[in-house]
Structure formats: C-alpha cells, structure tokens
Amino acid sequence: MFRWFQQFHKDQALPADAGQLSKDLLASLMVMAWFVEAKDPYTGGHLWRVSRYANLVARAGGLPDADIARVTLGGFLHDLGKVAIPDAILNKAGKLDDNEFTLIQTHPAAGGRMLAGHPLGHLVAAAVELHHERPDGRGYPYGLTASMIPTDAAIIGVCDAFDAMTSLRAYRKPMPLDKVLNILRAESGRQFSQFWCNHLLALAEEGVLDAIMGHSDNGIPLHTCPHCGPTVLQQSDDKPGDLLACSVCHSEMRLCEEDHQLRVKPTGKKAPVAAWQPKADNLLIKRMIEESITHIPLEQLIRFARG
C-alpha cells in the first residue's frame, strides 16, 4: 500500500483508487489507536470524545473545513504513543512516582516516531507529538511556548485535559463539571491556549458538549462493570439483547433498554475469551474517516504524504 505513495512521485495524474487508498491508510492508524486505548480499561471512548470535542472547538474557532477534519483525526490519534507505556503504569490506581511519570511523558515523542514512516503521518504529527506542550513552556516533550505550539496541538491539548477530568479513571472518579471549568479558567493562558480554551469553555457552558460527555459514540452511553468498575464498551452495531463483557473481571453482561436508556445487566456467568478480547469498532472508524476525508482535498493528502 505504501508503495503507491512512492510511485505517485513519478505520476502526472492521481490514480483512480487514490481516495480509497487514503482511507485504508487512515484506517490503519485509527485501528492501531483503538487497540492502544484498549490497554487502559478505564479510558473507553476517550479517543472518540476528544475527537468530537476537538471538532466542535475547531469549528467554533472559525477554522476551514479541511483544518477541522485534520484536527478531528488528530484528536482520535493523539495517544498513539501510549503503546510504548507498560500497562502497569497506564492502569495504576495510585499516584505515579517520579520515574513512572517520566516514562508517561515519553508517549508523545514515541507517537511521533511511530508516525515517521507512515505516508499520512504528517496529517496528525502535531496532534500526536505536541498535545502536552503548554503556552507557559512547562509542557513536554520539548518545552515549547505559546507561539511555537501548532493549532492542532493547542486544540487537542485542552480537549484531552477536559475529557480526562470529566471521565472515570483508575485513580479517581469523574470531576464535577463546574470544578473542571474552574480549573480550565485558572489555567487558560498557562497550561492551555487562551483562545482555544475560551472556545471550549463557551461550548461547555452552553451545554453543547453534554451529548459527548459520558459516551463512546453518538447516542451510546458509557457502561461500567458493576463488579469491578472499569468501562464496558458497547460497539456501534451492538443492540439490546447482545452480550458484552468486562475486560478485567471477564463478567458477562446483557445490553438492555429501560425507559429509553441502554444499560448492562450481569448474567451471572463468565464471558467466553473472545468476548472480552479488545475489538476495534470498525463501523465507527469507517464513519469518522468518511466524514473527515470528504473535507480534506486529495491533493492535500498527497502533499502531506510526500513530506
């Protein structure tokens, strides 16, 4: 597949299957990101939520459609580098020690290295490698300051933090929204870009983000295991009556609809091995790619691929 992009240097016209190849290449990145997220049983839906927040913030800030599409993809892929972080650190319930935190701080650079050989890596490189940079220069991995931080990274940085604070983690429960917004106001211009932070604050205060918080896809609420607490992911094509499983304690649950809301109820059984193994939500990924790729001109994809 990658040879096609190398061959393009010699071609005068775009191949007929260029669009599909671009979609396939993006899918390869997004499936990889999905399995990285699956390493942490408490972060289910994080990539989708950050992607949707980033889309809304970028749109509120007046970016062109092609830039919004790129930022949306970057939001989904920003944590690629966590594949290099041991599960014991990602899933630690207590406070990280200095050595563990130093290791966590390597994930943006690791993600950048992973993208270096990918033909479409440049589309999301800033989002992946620089989303933990801060305007005050105290971020990582490079200690960049405000004017040096690309727009994509600035948007995803504040959206990532917002989702982390409003979501369940192994080490704490979700913070109340009012507390999260107060933290963002206090850190605006220091930890977060003031311009993009203000747009996220406005969207949150208007209730625009409510349908994303606590969800893993449009209209799909997050479920938690009633036995041990982590997220139990519902796939886009799951429906009432289907069986789900906890990836930690392997309890089997049935998806039920009550009062127009989806819930999980334990069956009292252990789920078969195949049920609790991570499985990419291919329908969600395909939909996101279709939504994004229509707004990114093919010539721009090729230009990025050329490097």
Side-chain angles (χ1 to χ4, degrees):
M1 188 183 297
F2 290 3
R3 289 197 210 99
W4 170 80
F5 281 89
Q6 297 167 350
Q7 181 64 36
F8 180 75
H9 288 285
K10 304 174 184 178
D11 294 340
Q12 296 299 315
L14 294 173
D17 61 350
Q20 185 57 49
L21 285 166
S22 297
K23 293 176 185 179
D24 291 344
L25 286 165
L26 285 173
S28 71
L29 287 174
M30 296 177 80
V31 170
M32 189 188 315
W34 185 277
F35 282 99
V36 171
E37 179 177 77
K39 283 162 60 74
D40 184 343
Y42 285 86
T43 57
H46 172 66
L47 301 183
W48 177 81
R49 290 190 299 275
V50 172
S51 179
R52 300 320 300 166
Y53 294 143
N55 178 284
L56 292 172
V57 170
R59 193 173 302 280
L63 291 186
D65 285 346
D67 293 348
I68 294 170
R70 189 186 64 246
V71 170
T72 303
L73 291 172
F76 195 89
L77 294 165
H78 73 280
D79 271 343
L80 265 179
K82 284 188 175 178
V83 71
I85 307 301
D87 292 359
I89 295 178
L90 286 178
N91 302 332
K92 186 174 179 179
K95 184 179 178 180
L96 298 178
D97 63 32
D98 290 344
N99 289 333
E100 291 168 336
F101 186 65
T102 298
L103 188 55
I104 281 284
Q105 289 180 309
T106 66
H107 81 268
R113 291 192 298 273
M114 290 172 64
L115 290 174
H118 195 283
L120 299 183
H122 289 289
L123 279 174
V124 294
V128 170
E129 194 164 4
L130 304 176
H131 65 279
H132 281 294
E133 298 290 352
R134 299 169 45 135
D136 62 8
R138 298 176 61 188
Y140 59 89
Y142 304 115
L144 304 182
T145 52
S147 62
M148 303 165 67
I149 301 172
T151 295
D152 300 37
I155 293 172
I156 290 159
V158 68
C159 293
D160 183 34
F162 176 80
D163 188 65
M165 289 187 283
T166 55
S167 300
L168 178 69
R169 289 293 185 266
Y171 48 88
R172 62 154 173 77
K173 295 180 179 179
M175 295 184 189
L177 182 59
D178 286 348
K179 180 178 180 179
V180 172
L181 299 186
N182 285 335
I183 292 172
L184 292 180
R185 293 186 190 102
E187 293 299 324
S188 179
R190 297 192 300 183
Q191 183 176 353
F192 309 115
S193 160
Q194 185 174 43
F195 179 80
W196 296 112
C197 186
N198 286 346
H199 279 297
L200 187 142
L201 284 166
L203 291 168
E205 290 162 354
E206 293 166 10
V208 177
L209 307 184
D210 292 355
I212 302 172
M213 286 189 290
H215 289 72
S216 60
D217 194 359
N218 295 319
I220 298 181
L222 285 175
H223 310 289
T224 56
C225 176
H227 300 299
C228 65
T231 299
V232 177
L233 271 182
Q234 175 187 341
Q235 300 271 318
S236 298
D237 58 349
D238 286 335
K239 56 189 181 300
D242 287 348
L243 297 174
L244 308 181
C246 174
S247 63
V248 176
C249 72
H250 307 161
S251 297
E252 183 182 76
M253 282 153 270
R254 191 176 301 280
L255 187 62
C256 303
E257 185 173 9
E258 296 180 350
D259 300 324
H260 306 292
Q261 291 188 338
L262 292 170
R263 296 184 173 88
V264 291
K265 289 189 175 181
T267 65
K269 302 176 182 178
K270 286 290 183 181
V273 173
W276 48 265
Q277 293 296 306
K279 181 179 67 172
D281 192 330
N282 291 318
L283 287 179
L284 181 151
I285 289 172
K286 180 180 179 181
R287 189 180 71 243
M288 290 189 67
I289 291 173
E290 293 286 352
E291 290 173 358
S292 296
I293 207 79
T294 57
H295 296 295
I296 303 177
L298 187 58
E299 292 79 6
Q300 185 179 358
L301 288 172
I302 303 305
R303 187 161 57 250
F304 276 114
R306 284 176 170 181

